[in-house]
Amino acid sequence: MGEMIIINVAKHMARLALNIRRQREHLNYSQEYVAGRLNISQSGYSKIEQGASSINVERLYQIAEVLEITPKELLEDGKQENAA
């Protein structure tokens, strides 16, 4: 059962990282720009987009604000987009 939880967390982190990158690209923002707004290095921000660095709830809200999206939207799986 412990393995299932780890797999689910990893799956959600990968989805979150992908959604962050997609939204940044949608807004035509560079990684440098977003990192600057978050007051972190570009390499640190890149690790977030790669899913190599976990984020806390506060950072999630900060990223959502910079990317002009809700935290909930960043956590969604995106399947609704294709349903329309």
Side-chain angles (χ1 to χ4, degrees):
M1 181 148 169
E3 292 177 24
M4 179 65 82
I5 292 171
I6 293 169
I7 291 169
N8 285 339
V9 169
K11 181 179 175 183
H12 290 294
M13 289 301 298
R15 179 184 313 139
L16 174 61
L18 178 62
N19 289 345
I20 289 171
R21 180 179 58 84
R22 285 181 175 167
Q23 180 64 10
R24 177 185 58 79
E25 290 174 346
H26 172 74
L27 295 171
N28 293 314
Y29 289 168
S30 67
Q31 285 188 346
E32 293 83 3
Y33 172 77
V34 177
R37 293 279 314 273
L38 296 171
N39 205 23
I40 62 175
S41 69
Q42 182 276 327
S43 63
Y45 178 76
S46 177
K47 288 179 182 177
I48 293 171
E49 282 195 3
Q50 295 170 12
S53 178
S54 61
I55 61 172
N56 60 26
V57 173
E58 181 180 1
R59 181 64 78 193
L60 173 62
Y61 274 83
Q62 292 169 345
I63 292 170
E65 183 177 340
V66 171
L67 296 180
E68 305 169 21
I69 195 169
T70 66
K72 181 182 178 203
E73 290 172 301
L74 286 175
L75 293 167
E76 291 176 348
D77 66 10
K79 292 180 182 174
Q80 297 89 354
E81 296 173 7
N82 298 330

